[in-house]
Amino acid sequence: MIKKYKITLANKERELIIIKKKKKNISLQVKPSMEIILSIPMRISYSYGLKLIEEKSAWIEEKLEKYSSASNNSGTYYLGKLYSVKIKKSEIPIKVVGENIIANNSEGFDLLLNEWYQQKIKRILEIYLEKYTKLMELYPKKIKIKPLKSAWGICYSSGTITFNLNLVKVPLNVIEYLVVHELGHLKHPNHSNEYWEYIGKYIENPKSYRRWLKKNGYKFI
């Protein structure tokens, strides 16, 4: 059961989606797309949901401001660093020069950048996977790389692991953690204490990376 509302936050009208589900807990999401989604148990009224939104308005406004600032930034991230994008004639389609990512053509730039990102993250993942599959003695059946809207990686019961293309935008140590994180799910398909203890053998304080992604991930997806 879904209902949509128009609410005012920071003197601007926003759309709120309230979803009733067969669940015990309440969850509130503010997505990079600026969507505000509140999921509530069936027993809770929509009016109570609206009251919760009012109580969380400061937190929601803070999230919206972060996403707005990120989307208005004219640069692009690569391995945790924000680069300015410049168009300049060159024999190389895309390259990093100092504080800039230089492209030789503005036409089809997004496609060109995604292809460059794909090449870079593929090589980085290959290096970390070669290291940790041997250390952990865990071998995925297949590796995929593609844009994902909300997940950094998905480990399927079939043994396939899909990594988010946008991983190329986060720091190398975070990429390394995520490789260990997803490989760990081949052994423990959950986030139990046993799972965190297990991957903690290979990555020091793994939950710190999870917290970092929750705090900073909006910049990169």
Side-chain angles (χ1 to χ4, degrees):
M1 297 173 66
I2 300 174
K3 281 194 176 183
K4 295 183 179 182
Y5 298 87
K6 295 293 183 182
I7 60 173
T8 301
L9 291 166
N11 298 318
K12 189 170 184 179
E13 191 175 76
R14 301 283 187 185
E15 184 176 77
L16 165 67
I17 300 171
I18 299 182
I19 306 172
K20 280 196 174 188
K21 293 182 177 181
K22 292 180 179 179
K23 56 183 291 186
K24 293 181 180 180
N25 300 320
I26 296 170
S27 63
L28 175 61
Q29 293 178 290
V30 180
K31 296 191 173 184
S33 60
M34 313 302 261
E35 289 179 300
I36 305 166
I37 302 174
L38 177 67
S39 297
I40 57 176
M42 298 295 290
R43 68 179 187 278
I44 292 180
S45 67
Y46 289 105
S47 59
Y48 184 76
L50 290 170
K51 184 180 178 182
L52 288 174
I53 291 297
E54 187 177 344
E55 292 173 356
K56 289 286 187 179
S57 61
W59 179 83
I60 296 170
E61 288 175 8
E62 182 184 352
K63 289 287 186 182
L64 290 170
E65 176 61 29
K66 284 183 178 180
Y67 292 141
S68 178
S69 298
S71 64
N72 290 334
N73 199 308
S74 60
T76 189
Y77 281 94
Y78 174 56
L79 299 183
K81 183 177 178 181
L82 182 63
Y83 290 85
S84 297
V85 174
K86 297 190 180 299
I87 308 300
K88 187 178 180 181
K89 287 185 178 181
S90 170
E91 294 181 0
I92 302 173
I94 290 186
K95 59 183 178 181
V96 176
V97 180
E99 302 293 316
N100 304 307
I101 286 181
I102 308 293
N104 66 2
N105 197 329
S106 60
E107 292 184 12
F109 170 74
D110 289 341
L111 179 60
L112 195 64
L113 181 64
N114 279 342
E115 289 176 351
W116 184 76
Y117 275 157
Q118 188 89 26
Q119 292 170 5
K120 294 295 184 182
I121 193 60
K122 183 175 183 291
R123 181 57 186 145
I124 292 166
L125 288 173
E126 283 174 351
I127 292 169
Y128 285 136
L129 284 165
E130 183 178 3
K131 174 182 177 181
Y132 286 104
T133 53
K134 292 176 181 177
L135 281 174
M136 300 169 77
E137 296 184 343
L138 294 171
Y139 299 91
K141 289 184 178 179
K142 192 172 184 179
I143 296 294
K144 294 182 179 181
I145 303 168
K146 66 179 184 180
L148 299 173
K149 289 185 178 180
S150 58
W152 290 105
I154 303 172
C155 181
Y156 297 93
S157 58
S158 63
T160 294
I161 294 177
T162 298
F163 288 103
N164 194 330
L165 174 62
N166 288 309
L167 272 180
V168 75
K169 299 178 183 179
V170 307
L172 278 170
N173 63 335
V174 179
I175 299 174
E176 184 175 11
Y177 152 73
L178 282 159
V179 167
V180 173
H181 184 107
E182 296 307 328
L183 286 175
H185 283 315
L186 293 172
K187 187 175 181 71
H188 297 281
N190 50 47
H191 288 110
S192 63
N193 290 334
E194 289 81 6
Y195 166 79
W196 289 109
E197 287 174 10
Y198 176 69
I199 67 169
K201 297 175 183 177
Y202 304 98
I203 289 286
E204 186 178 353
N205 196 7
K207 286 188 178 181
S208 66
Y209 293 98
R210 193 185 195 193
R211 289 193 294 269
W212 186 91
L213 283 167
K214 283 187 175 182
K215 182 179 179 180
N216 299 284
Y218 72 91
K219 301 176 186 176
F220 310 107
I221 291 182

